[in-house]
Every structure is written in C-alpha cells, then in structure tokens.
Amino acid sequence: MELKFALLSLTAALSVFSNSVLAKAEMTLRLGLEPSIDSPQGVGAKEMAKVADELSKGKIAIEFFPNQQLGTGPQMIEMVKKGELDIFQGGAGLYSSIEPRLNVFDIPYLFDSVEQAYKVLDSDFGKEILATLEPANLKGLSFWENGIRSVTSNVKPINTPEDLVGLKIRVMPANQVHVDLWQGVGAKPEPLPYGEIYGKLKSGELDAQEHPIAPIYTGKFYEVQKYLSLTQHMYGPLIQVMNLEKFNALPKETQDILLKASYAGAVKMRQFSNENAAKFIDDMKNKGMLVNKVDTTPFKAKMRPLVEKPYVEKNGDDWLKKINASIEADRKK
C-alpha cells in the first residue's frame, strides 16, 4: 500500500509540474511511450522533462503520450522517422529491422548484471551503436532501461527449459529473433504489442509472457498470472530516439540539453527499476503470485546458442566481441 501511495503521489505532483511547464515553454516536444506514465519508463520520462526544463530555463517542455495513445511501438518509430512524433523510447529489438546488429541484445544471458550492461551502453561503443540508426532519420539520444527478463505463467512454474514446451507466450512484435528463440525451446510465441498483453492473458488466449520485474508489476500482470519464475534470461535496453532532422536543426546548446536530459531520464529509470525490484516481487507475493528462483545453467546452455549462432552467421561477431571484451574486463576487476 505504501509503495502504491508513493507512486500515485509522485504522479500527481509531476502532473501539476508538467502542466505549468507546458504553458510557459517556447518549444514543446511530444514523447510517446507504450506503458503508462506511472511505469518506470514514465518515471524516467518525467525526470527527462524536469531536467530539460531546468537546463533550458523553462524554454523546453516535453509532453507525454503514454499507453500507446499514438500507436504501437513500431508505429511510433515510423512516426518519429517522418517527423510526426518528436521522441519515442522502446526496446532495442524494435529497431532491429533498421539495424539487425541490435539483435545482439537478444542473446540470452549476455550480461552477468545490469551494471555490466551499463558500462557497455554508456561507453563510446554505445554511442557508435546509437549512430547506426541515423540513416533511418533517427537520432539515438541514449540507452534506457528495460531490465533483465523473467517468465510469468498461468500453467505452471518454469523450473527447467522443458517446462516451456507448448507454452503460448507473448513475444515482442517486429523482432523475428524472439519468435525463433521461443520456438527453439518448444514454446508457441505470439508477437503482440505491450498494451494487449493483459487482456490476452486474462482471456486465456495466452499462457505466459516475459518481461523485467518492473513492467510485470506496473502492468499488473500478477492479476492475470499465477507464477513468476526468475529465469533472468535476457537483458534488454530501451533506446530513446528523436527525429534526426529536427535534432540537427536545433542549436548546439539545445542539442546538448536534450542529450543530458535524456541520459538523466535513463539514469532515473534505472535507479527506480533496480531499487524497487525486490519490493515489487514482495508485493506480488502478497497479492498471491507464486515466485520461484531458477537454476539458470540449463537455460543458458539451451537458449544462448539458439540466438548467438545465427546472429554471428548473419551479422558477424564484431559487436559481440566488443561486448564480451568489456564483460571480461569487468570480471577481472
């Protein structure tokens, strides 16, 4: 109850702040996102807007369009390309049709921890990755948090890879790699926008879904799922993008403000997700969800080759080598 009250109080306070900022700003940027404004993404978006307002001395405002008000993730990416929407943030896999090498983040058990991932994403190499979106008229502002994914199910707890066989599971749209992965372990994947997951789970058309803890909690999937199995099978970043032409047309000072504000939003979202994950799990347990830890060793042995081998065959191993080198350096420390 305390956690829910805190989230609602934060939302109410920031709503008043946002309205006053929009009224006095010289430039208003429209930001679309798939989940609610109360989600971790919303927490980060509000921080970005706050920092942009402060650094620009009130000249820049950011208006939010949550809950897929403007369309699904793939649709909003197209809107940003065309200049119909200023900013969008979504899973890296949503951009894989633009840059197939981004599927590197779909390799299961690529990172040991979120901290390892941050060191890669916030490095010069991370900036190189974001720059590959520019031919599609997208300016990659920064990597945001999606977190480490685990499986929820209504059928049974997932303790071994064999428990996934026959499971009707939601997967990210516009990403064939995810379809191939879950088919490879014997599940029945169904690509579906985030906003449709709850209803499909409730109706029984789907048995399962997989997300990081924070989206599972804020999406209230505990209301329509019985089991949460901590498979922790994949770390996936979000990428926040802006229309490249609009970004390039801005003064350098304004560009720098947006880049700093975007990164501030990313950091805030990461902190929120990581600091509250244990609280979210405890609250879901209190609401009746059954949570089980998983020995990830057999999952890694089964799942990682299903993605890594075809990824290297298709895209080469340059990005993978750079990521592995960073991970190895981190382990030696």
Side-chain angles (χ1 to χ4, degrees), residues 180-304:
D180 294 341
L181 169 63
W182 294 102
Q183 284 180 341
V185 296
K188 298 177 180 178
E190 180 176 339
L192 199 69
Y194 180 86
E196 297 181 29
I197 299 173
Y198 184 97
K200 295 280 189 178
L201 293 173
K202 185 176 182 180
S203 68
E205 294 174 72
L206 287 176
D207 300 320
Q209 66 83 50
E210 44 92 46
H211 263 97
I213 297 301
I216 291 172
Y217 180 79
T218 57
K220 298 184 178 181
F221 296 148
Y222 54 81
E223 294 180 348
V224 289
Q225 295 274 267
K226 185 175 182 180
Y227 304 102
L228 166 59
S229 301
L230 301 175
T231 52
Q232 298 183 310
H233 54 272
M234 187 185 297
Y235 175 84
L238 297 175
I239 298 178
Q240 187 179 72
V241 294
M242 182 173 175
N243 178 270
L244 180 63
E245 289 182 7
K246 184 161 189 172
F247 181 86
N248 286 341
L250 296 172
K252 179 66 164 55
E253 180 182 3
T254 303
Q255 292 178 355
D256 290 342
I257 288 172
L258 290 176
L259 289 171
K260 289 177 182 177
S262 176
Y263 184 67
V267 171
K268 185 73 172 182
M269 184 184 179
R270 291 171 181 177
Q271 291 173 340
F272 178 84
S273 297
N274 295 329
E275 291 173 0
N276 288 289
K279 295 178 184 178
F280 291 154
I281 290 175
D282 285 343
D283 197 41
M284 288 189 284
K285 285 180 179 178
N286 292 335
K287 296 178 187 301
M289 200 171 207
L290 301 177
V291 180
N292 62 293
K293 293 185 178 180
V294 171
D295 177 6
T296 60
T297 303
F299 286 87
K300 183 176 181 178
K302 176 73 173 180
M303 300 176 78
R304 181 156 179 161

Side-chain angles (χ1 to χ4, degrees), residues 16 140 176 209 251 282 328:
V16 174
Q176 185 61 37
Q209 66 83 50
D282 285 343
E328 188 59 31

Side-chain angles (χ1 to χ4, degrees), residues 67-184:
N67 296 314
Q68 296 187 347
Q69 290 178 29
L70 304 179
T72 64
Q75 288 170 336
M76 284 190 276
I77 290 174
E78 289 301 314
M79 291 176 68
V80 175
K81 286 183 186 178
K82 298 174 183 177
E84 298 168 356
L85 176 65
D86 299 311
I87 303 171
F88 169 73
Q89 58 211 35
L94 291 176
Y95 303 89
S96 61
S97 60
I98 300 170
E99 175 48 76
R101 288 177 295 177
L102 283 167
N103 283 133
V104 70
F105 297 114
D106 295 325
I107 296 176
Y109 302 100
L110 180 63
F111 298 106
D112 296 333
S113 66
V114 292
E115 289 77 19
Q116 276 187 358
Y118 300 157
K119 288 178 181 178
V120 172
L121 301 175
D122 298 341
S123 68
D124 289 340
F125 174 51
K127 293 177 182 178
E128 291 177 26
I129 294 174
L130 293 176
T132 64
L133 299 174
E134 293 188 7
N137 201 30
L138 296 173
K139 170 65 181 179
L141 298 177
S142 64
F143 284 101
W144 285 40
E145 180 80 318
N146 207 355
I148 297 180
R149 306 174 82 89
S150 287
V151 177
T152 68
S153 167
N154 259 336
V155 178
K156 57 185 174 182
I158 308 303
N159 288 301
T160 70
E162 288 69 33
D163 291 328
L164 296 165
V165 176
L167 212 62
K168 294 180 290 183
I169 187 169
R170 177 266 181 183
V171 298
M172 186 185 303
N175 191 337
Q176 185 61 37
V177 171
H178 279 227
V179 173
D180 294 341
L181 169 63
W182 294 102
Q183 284 180 341

Side-chain angles (χ1 to χ4, degrees), residues 38-90:
D38 299 324
S39 69
Q41 282 198 44
V43 170
K46 292 167 189 172
E47 180 68 12
M48 178 183 180
K50 179 173 176 288
V51 172
D53 173 68
E54 292 172 351
L55 293 179
S56 69
K57 296 181 172 56
K59 295 180 181 179
I60 301 174
I62 297 177
E63 186 176 7
F64 313 122
F65 295 86
N67 296 314
Q68 296 187 347
Q69 290 178 29
L70 304 179
T72 64
Q75 288 170 336
M76 284 190 276
I77 290 174
E78 289 301 314
M79 291 176 68
V80 175
K81 286 183 186 178
K82 298 174 183 177
E84 298 168 356
L85 176 65
D86 299 311
I87 303 171
F88 169 73
Q89 58 211 35

